[in-house]
Amino acid sequence: MKTLRNIAMAVAMAFVFTSCEAQIKNPKTETVKVYGNCEMCKKTIEKAANEKGIVKADWNVDTDMLTLTYDQTKTNTDAILKKVAYAGYDSETFRAPDEAYKNLPECCQYDRPAKVSAIAENHDSHKGHDMPAAETTQNSPLFNPVYTAYFSIKDALIKSDGKTASAKASELVKAIAAAPMDKMKTEQHTLWMKIQSSLKTDAGHIAETTDVKHQRDHFASLSENLYALAKTTTNDAPYYYQKCPMYDNGKGAHWLSKENTIKNPYYGSAMLSCGSTVETLK
Amino acid sequence: MKHCYQLLLLFAALSGYAQNSKEYDLYVTDTVVNYTGKKVKAIAINGSIPAPTLHFTEGDTAVIRVHNKMHHETSIHWHGLLLPNEQDGVPYLTTAPIKGMSTHTYKFPIKQSGTYWYHSHTMLQEQIGMYGAFIIHKKQEPELPEYTMLLSDWTDANPHEIERSLHKANDWYAIKKGATQNYAEAIGKGHFLTKFTNEWKRMHAMDVSDVYYERFFVNGKQEDHAPQFKPGEKVRVRIINGSASTYFWLNYAGGKITVVASDGMDVQPVAVDRFIVGVSETYDVIVTIPDKDTAFELVATAEDRTGQASLWLGNGVKQLQQPLPKLKYFEGMKMMNDMMTVGGNMKDMGMNMSLQQMDMNTVMYPEITGKEKDKKTAGMAMEGHQHQETGNTDIVTLNYAMLKSPVKTNLPDGPVRTLHFELTGNMNRYVWTLNNKTISESDKVLIKKGENIRIVVTNNSMMRHPMHLHGHFFRILNGQGDYAPLKNVLDIMPMETDTIEFHASEEYGDWYFHCHILYHMMAGMGRIFTYENSPPNPQIPDPEMALKMVYNDDRRYYFSAEVGLESNGSDGEMRLENTRNFFDVEWRLGFNKNTGYETEAHFGRYLDKNQYLSVYTGFDFRYHNSLEREENLFGQASTQNQRAVACIGLIYQLPWLINADVRLDHEGKARLQFVRKDIPVTDRVRLWGSWNTDFEYSVGSRYILTKYWSLSAHYDSDMGMGGGIVLTY
């Protein structure tokens, strides 16, 4: 019995040794700089770099140096540093995607090596290449505050952000109340009198809840009324009247936008590009 | 010679182009490559994969000598080029195939400019290396630093073997991709019902691509570097998707991408965050290098997200682009369930989808719709549920509606003819058709010079298809009115309807219109447009024979087999099948007298569009020594002990992928049998079962070891319990 136990021990020991021995074949050791802050960074960096039997990594919090031992037939320093960068950590070779860096816990958001922009110097040549900016347009100054608030609600609904939509709707309520009726043309004035109360109701409902579904219901009728209003005004830059055919079990719903590109406020990100421009108001 | 000179002069006078002959010699050779540690056969041109980039200037005359140094034939098609029909390079259709150890000279005037490419149009040669860039510069092109980014996909598997397994619906590629969408995974993610409904609607695991690729390349490399560009510089990148069957997403770590041309034709600049390049499409984009001492990653990610390839622009520390996260397959499956009728048709719920504007796949993209949820909370937005999204709605993705030509593209006046093409297919049998007909099953479409052809394309299949027209540009009617963009490839997503129109501007000849996913084209997804009263083509001395060669591509039969060797006997099946027909032989051999033997042989044909229904005729021989049952379910005397009959039958695929097989033999005996194969329980475990009205039944399971081998165990009412191995070929 005792011998049996001894043999078992021996086998177990041999196993432990060989597994240590077999840890990394064709080893190569290299030390490289990886930017980071704290013990938590150490964990993340090493986790990203380590690969059983292939890579063993050790990051030093004080010196920011990462010591890598790896099987040089299976990987290389660049490949390892790429994985570390995807985890959010810059090195001399790779700069992590901004998104990965932003996703790090706050304490880990180390000071990144500074970028030197090349664009600032020849800013002029960069112009004219971006999409035509719609921000600068003057859409009938009379109703400007109304539309500004409306577009903010729309943008919030695109993001399914009920809180912002509610806050912007409160602004819209004020803007509606403040609309200078004395400056309106007769035709506009008539229309305004007709739609004013439902505008107020819809805006009010959006303001008093953060339930996006409820907000969208009112946004649909709000959009119809503002569309009617937009038709009576002349604009320097176009407003696009856009339609989502699916909303409300296929009954469809509209909205106004300053961009021709579809960003559907009725469903959030899943159906973002669903819809089409049905009319361009100029 | 003199005659030729006169012709050239005449041409020069007509077009006003200066004559400048530009010559290239292309040597096509068999080669062996090693991309993954495994030596694999491939084809190189001038010793390289991809083939060398050819540069021309508008107005040149191209003279390209193709020296085939292989012992089998080849061809080269000039993708997107306007040229005389006999120069188009489709073997047997427009141009003589280039036989082994021979030289073929192409000669044609260059009448256009932009980013194009060239590739073999012979069988599957394009998959193993025969593709290269074809760049035509404008006469007075503004000096802009530029770089060509030729994308491709690589697999170590023999492409013919890939093609065969696709027809067999072998799910080995799905296992390799981690995309089997098995029941265990479905339950884990709270999607059991989704999976069940999906199979109820007769769908196997869904995927956005069919083939597993080991590597994706930019210019033949996983990472290509272009350090020569300076900070602040604007670079024109000519992106060509030269892959056999992979769509690529393009993302840039240095900011917005400005698209300035597609398929060689300029479009009004439009800035986007990302865009997808369909198989065989080209896009010219302008990107800026925003920072000093930094190289920025322009990354192409396979649509199924199994891999990516990068181009580094600039010099210095490498700014990575955030990789695209894995697809949420069950979300896509859920979407599919809502879109698919049990009858196998796609319905778009009245959304009039078109022009890539509404990408249904978006539900599968975590970077837009948020990370996968493990519980059932991930209700689909379409149902009106609200849920907190963590996704990003600010990403601007290019779609066809955003493409606008800088010049008017209205077609010249002429009679307008409208054609309707419905893209159809059967995923499981890998049948791909237009209006439920393959190329060989349909007549050529006759067109007249001067006519305007309008094509309404509807995609009623479950995959997207890049439809390519040879020798002409079409306008995509995309709401841009007179400024509709010109393209020669139309990517059309499932359920979309798009309208394209082109002017029949050529004099004569046959022009292909086909899906550019190589394996779809070879399955017969296309049509041939042919000009009325075309003169005989000197390249095609025997047109009848040649057309047969063209048609043979989609008439081929594929062999498959499943042979089990188990402790209680051997079960097996061998099949030979093509688009419509199948031959199969099944057997069950016991190892002793009691268990006996059975063998059945059938010849059958699929009847309906979805290929749920087939009829067959065949023989059935069997012998059993000791069986007690004497009557079947229909009260007829069972002849299971000894039988030698001829029979006719009908197979119908029921919901949940159950095959119901009803047959009648010449003695008047009837049998109804239900079989369900390959229920994916986990990644590698499959269950199956069968039962019939002779009261025979069996249930079994299989554990998949490799593409060809599985461990198996099953219980059979005649032969009892057994275990062993199965060869699936």
Side-chain angles (χ1 to χ4, degrees), chain A residues 115-134:
Chain A
K115 273 198 212 180
V116 187
S117 172
I119 302 299
E121 293 163 21
N122 42 16
H123 198 81
D124 287 340
S125 66
H126 190 60
K127 256 192 204 164
H129 227 66
D130 295 324
M131 294 271 279

Side-chain angles (χ1 to χ4, degrees), chain B residues 265 354 455 537 663:
Chain B
M265 285 289 181
S354 66
I455 308 175
N537 183 344
R663 56 139 63 160

Side-chain angles (χ1 to χ4, degrees), chain A residues 190-221:
Chain A
T190 323
L191 180 69
W192 183 256
M193 292 316 288
K194 213 169 101 190
I195 63 174
Q196 191 188 19
S197 70
S198 51
L199 285 179
K200 269 186 193 155
T201 317
D202 287 329
H205 275 280
I206 298 174
E208 74 192 19
T209 177
T210 53
D211 172 13
V212 187
K213 183 169 165 22
H214 186 70
Q215 289 175 333
R216 282 173 175 151
D217 287 341
H218 286 282
F219 184 74
S221 60

Side-chain angles (χ1 to χ4, degrees), chain B residues 381-505:
Chain B
M382 196 174 282
E383 290 164 5
H385 289 261
Q386 271 319 314
H387 56 275
Q388 229 20 67
E389 291 140 354
T390 52
N392 186 346
T393 51
D394 294 331
I395 297 172
V396 179
T397 304
L398 183 78
N399 63 54
Y400 282 163
M402 293 157 79
L403 297 179
K404 186 175 185 184
S405 168
V407 292
K408 287 192 180 181
T409 57
N410 308 61
L411 301 183
D413 285 338
V416 179
R417 195 143 59 93
T418 305
L419 304 171
H420 291 266
F421 286 147
E422 186 188 19
L423 310 185
T424 37
N426 177 307
M427 277 299 293
N428 304 344
R429 300 197 59 252
Y430 221 69
V431 169
W432 297 104
T433 48
L434 258 58
N435 297 340
N436 192 29
K437 284 201 167 86
T438 62
I439 293 166
S440 72
E441 288 171 340
S442 48
D443 293 329
K444 291 182 182 177
V445 181
L446 282 175
I447 55 174
K448 264 195 267 253
K449 182 183 161 62
E451 221 179 5
N452 290 332
I453 308 292
R454 184 172 291 166
I455 308 175
V456 181
V457 193
T458 301
N459 187 353
N460 190 21
S461 80
M462 277 183 280
M463 297 206 77
R464 59 201 304 168
H465 300 283
M467 302 302 296
H468 169 54
L469 178 63
H470 284 212
H472 301 74
F473 279 87
F474 49 72
R475 315 168 75 217
I476 300 180
L477 303 187
N478 68 341
Q480 302 285 11
D482 295 345
Y483 298 90
L486 289 171
K487 278 175 65 68
N488 57 60
V489 180
L490 172 83
D491 165 48
I492 180 161
M493 305 189 70
M495 293 176 285
E496 284 191 337
T497 298
D498 288 335
T499 305
I500 57 176
E501 58 180 27
F502 70 95
H503 183 61
S505 53

Side-chain angles (χ1 to χ4, degrees), chain B residues 145-147 225-231 233 289 312-315:
Chain B
E146 65 165 66
Y147 201 79
H225 300 254
Q228 64 268 37
F229 302 117
K230 305 281 171 298
E233 210 161 37
I289 297 172
W312 295 101
L313 294 165
N315 196 11

Side-chain angles (χ1 to χ4, degrees), chain B residues 18 67 82 182 202 209 246 273 290 312 319 337 361 373 495 507 511 514 628 678 680 696 727:
Chain B
H67 309 273
L82 305 171
N182 55 70
R202 295 180 268 214
S209 71
T246 304
D273 293 302
W312 295 101
Q319 173 66 62
N337 289 345
N361 289 338
K373 311 199 171 59
M495 293 176 285
E507 299 292 330
W511 301 95
H514 64 87
E628 291 155 16
D678 289 335
E696 296 172 304
L727 169 70

